[in-house]
Amino acid sequence: EFPAPGQPHPNNPGGRPFYRPESRNQRKTVRRLRERMRKMAPDGGGGGAGGGSEDAEVIAAAFGQELSFMAAQLYSLWHKFLGLLIYCPREMATLLRQKFERRLVDRLGESLFRDPIKTRDVSQAFDREIWDTHSRMADALRRSASYIEKPPLPIEDVAVASHHELHPILFEQTYEPTDGEEGPSQKAPSFAVSAAASGAGGEGGRRAASSSMAGAGAEGDSTLELPCAPKRYQGVHLFVLVHGFQGNSYDMRLLKSHLTLLFPELIVHSSTANEDATEGCIGGMGELLAKEVRQFVKDWAPGGSLSRLSFVAHSLGGLIVRAALPHLKDLWEHLYLFMTLSSPHLGYMYNSNKLVDAGMWVLKTWRRSLCLQQLSMTDAKEPRDCFIYKLSKEQGLSEFKFVALVSSWQDNYAPFDSARIEVSSKAAQDAKFGPVFTQMAKNLLGKVNPRRLIRFDVNYKIPEKNLDTFIGRAAHIQFLENQVLMRMLLHCYAPLFK
């Protein structure tokens, strides 16, 4: 908006020229325009009668010639750029991918809260009703105008992208030993940084939850934490995906696809050893998995080329992996990531859904499912003689560089505290079975470095209201089908998967 003729501009009261070229190229362009206008003027630039319309034509012609000149320059530069791409396509693709992944991490980080915790005992919950706190924070974020009105990214996969209101909200909890406690010398993990450190939500002064991730500063060079960054080790990184109860290798197809597309250097294997035997003994399933892993390593990483061995397991698969670890002791030095998606590590002792309890009773009674008897700790008279209690005392979990426990309160197929390996409020008040539950949690996490433990709580937005939603099965299946959650984990926590 320009002022009226003869009036100074409000931002330029001194009457100086409103446009002042700063760079050398800008000054050259202004001089060239003035020279063209002077030459094109009928009187040589002196004006005259009826010069208003003529001046307008002169100015329009000068600008037209200047635009044509710039268009020719851009056309020439574009063809030079295309010729250059022939010699450096990989470098250019890497540059563009870095920018794309940084934007994507920033966007996904808007649906993520970080909660660093200082504690002496990671098996004890610092908030007994953390699920309720997270639910309120997720609802507040989804209702906020800044979250709803986010513009789409310049480039995005429309097959995967969904409306922000339907995105899962991820709550990350990392741990540090309390002051004065002697902890292991290992450093805390570092992940990609989200530039959208909006600090959305917040619940009455809780632990400064924000949507930014831990790691290098947002202003620094954090490309090392992005999926496109080169790996910092030599050798093969093998990922083993393990399905759950009454499942098969096809259950993990989406996660396998995302892993192989984002990290093509990985070798990803979906386990098939227990596809027809998930109702048997968990210990026997662990032995079958160990044999399968050993054979796969022999075939795909021969001659000591294996550098890292990681497991991602859904539901019962988490316990099967733990049962397999004692049979893989010669591979312990290669263990890297152990991630479980809603696995009932502490059994079904304190399940909150009566319909699920009734269904388990039917399966245990009519189909004589030994696996469910072990999970409900009814396979022995004494709780300390049950299989999952004995399994909790087995070694191997502390050998992983990272332990990530992903859970959701909306999933009733795997009790929330059991999936988090955390002592629940019910267990703390139960004088009979509570000490056994507490001891199992301590057995599992007692030797795990707190800095290497990450807990994720997922809050889903499930618009459908049906029986699956009511009994918690819908959320249980979301861990296998929600591609936005997979992208959040793989992009924002790339060092776990590289």
Side-chain angles (χ1 to χ4, degrees):
E1 296 181 3
F2 292 93
Q7 298 295 325
H9 194 277
N11 294 333
N12 190 17
R16 297 185 299 274
F18 182 69
Y19 173 73
R20 175 171 293 178
E22 299 293 340
S23 67
R24 182 179 178 182
N25 289 335
Q26 289 175 342
R27 289 193 295 270
K28 288 174 62 178
T29 302
V30 170
R31 284 197 301 268
R32 189 163 58 247
L33 276 172
R34 287 174 177 171
E35 182 64 21
R36 288 186 181 180
M37 292 170 63
R38 185 184 64 79
K39 291 181 180 180
M40 295 173 65
D43 57 351
S53 60
E54 293 178 355
D55 289 346
E57 292 180 0
V58 169
I59 293 174
F63 271 105
Q65 291 186 7
E66 187 65 25
L67 289 175
S68 298
F69 178 73
M70 288 189 293
Q73 285 184 318
L74 289 175
Y75 185 78
S76 176
L77 287 173
W78 174 248
H79 279 272
K80 289 181 180 179
F81 174 71
L82 292 180
L84 181 64
L85 284 181
I86 300 175
Y87 302 98
C88 58
R90 182 177 299 177
E91 290 78 4
M92 182 57 64
T94 300
L95 177 63
L96 295 175
R97 183 179 176 184
Q98 287 178 358
K99 293 183 178 180
F100 167 76
E101 289 182 353
R102 172 54 54 198
R103 290 178 177 177
L104 183 59
V105 167
D106 291 343
R107 175 56 57 88
L108 295 174
E110 295 168 0
S111 302
L112 192 151
F113 289 86
R114 180 173 180 261
D115 199 0
I117 300 171
K118 287 189 175 182
T119 181
R120 247 175 219 282
D121 187 357
V122 292
S123 65
Q124 298 293 327
F126 78 97
D127 184 353
R128 297 291 187 186
E129 295 184 353
I130 192 171
W131 55 270
D132 184 54
T133 303
H134 288 173
S135 179
R136 292 198 300 269
M137 294 172 67
D139 291 341
L141 179 63
R142 289 192 177 101
R143 290 194 301 266
S144 62
S146 60
Y147 186 77
I148 297 174
E149 298 172 358
K150 291 292 181 183
L153 293 174
I155 300 176
E156 63 181 0
D157 187 350
V158 295
V160 177
S162 61
H163 198 275
H164 264 51
E165 292 182 352
L166 301 178
H167 277 204
I169 308 298
L170 191 63
F171 296 86
E172 170 224 330
Q173 291 178 316
T174 53
Y175 299 87
E176 283 285 341
T178 53
D179 296 337
E181 181 181 354
E182 294 184 3
S185 59
Q186 295 174 322
K187 295 181 179 179
S190 168
F191 305 111
V193 180
S194 170
S198 59
E203 189 72 24
R206 283 178 46 77
R207 299 175 180 266
S210 86
S211 58
S212 65
M213 297 300 306
E219 300 297 329
D221 181 14
S222 57
T223 56
L224 290 178
E225 309 302 334
L226 294 174
C228 62
K231 64 179 185 180
R232 309 183 208 180
Y233 61 91
Q234 299 293 328
V236 173
H237 189 175
L238 170 61
F239 261 85
V240 181
L241 310 181
V242 185
H243 60 81
F245 181 69
Q246 293 184 343
N248 55 56
S249 59
Y250 192 66
D251 294 345
M252 313 297 287
R253 68 195 184 281
L254 280 179
L255 180 57
K256 181 178 180 179
S257 298
H258 279 277
L259 275 172
T260 52
L261 286 173
L262 196 58
F263 306 103
E265 70 278 4
L266 296 179
I267 295 180
V268 185
H269 172 64
S270 292
S271 174
T272 60
N274 296 293
E275 287 186 329
D276 300 322
T278 56
E279 294 193 24
C281 175
I282 298 176
M285 288 186 274
E287 292 183 19
L288 292 176
L289 176 62
K291 292 179 181 179
E292 182 184 24
V293 170
R294 196 178 300 280
Q295 184 61 43
F296 196 83
V297 169
K298 182 180 178 181
D299 295 338
W300 290 89
S305 60
L306 180 66
S307 178
R308 294 178 174 179
L309 176 60
S310 298
F311 294 89
V312 178
H314 176 247
S315 190
L316 176 64
L319 285 85
I320 297 176
V321 173
R322 284 173 41 213
L325 293 179
H327 306 285
L328 297 171
K329 287 186 177 181
D330 55 323
L331 299 177
W332 280 9
E333 60 179 324
H334 304 294
L335 296 181
Y336 186 70
L337 170 66
F338 176 69
M339 174 176 283
T340 59
L341 308 174
S342 196
S343 295
H345 292 284
L346 303 179
Y348 286 95
M349 192 180 298
Y350 297 106
N351 193 15
S352 59
N353 193 298
K354 300 302 181 183
L355 285 177
V356 175
D357 288 342
M360 288 187 61
W361 180 85
V362 171
L363 289 175
K364 287 188 299 181
T365 305
W366 289 0
R367 300 189 60 167
R368 300 188 180 277
S369 175
L370 178 57
C371 165
L372 295 183
Q373 292 179 21
Q374 293 173 337
L375 287 175
S376 57
M377 300 186 71
T378 57
D379 56 317
K381 293 182 179 180
E382 293 295 328
R384 297 180 189 273
D385 294 331
C386 294
F387 175 80
I388 64 169
Y389 181 85
K390 295 179 180 179
L391 181 62
S392 70
K393 296 192 294 183
E394 294 286 352
Q395 303 300 313
L397 193 59
S398 60
E399 301 297 326
F400 285 95
K401 300 298 186 296
F402 296 99
V403 177
L405 307 174
V406 190
S407 59
S408 174
W409 175 259
Q410 298 158 294
D411 179 8
N412 291 324
Y413 271 34
F416 184 66
D417 301 299
S418 181
R420 291 168 59 86
I421 313 183
E422 199 171 53
V423 179
S424 64
S425 56
K426 292 183 179 179
Q429 300 170 2
D430 186 358
K432 183 178 180 181
F433 296 105
V436 177
F437 190 91
T438 302
Q439 189 59 47
M440 284 196 298
K442 291 181 178 294
N443 291 342
L444 287 170
L445 300 180
K447 294 185 179 181
V448 174
N449 180 3
R451 295 186 178 93
R452 297 294 173 175
L453 174 65
I454 313 171
R455 285 189 174 107
F456 296 103
D457 177 20
V458 187
N459 183 278
Y460 294 107
K461 181 66 174 181
I462 305 176
E464 298 86 3
K465 302 298 181 183
N466 49 35
L467 180 61
D468 283 347
T469 307
F470 180 71
I471 65 176
R473 181 179 180 274
H476 194 68
I477 300 301
Q478 283 291 303
F479 287 104
L480 301 176
E481 297 182 349
N482 194 301
Q483 298 188 64
V484 177
L485 174 62
M486 295 178 188
R487 298 182 79 187
M488 291 177 70
L489 292 174
L490 297 183
H491 283 273
C492 296
Y493 298 89
L496 297 180
F497 303 93
K498 291 190 68 66

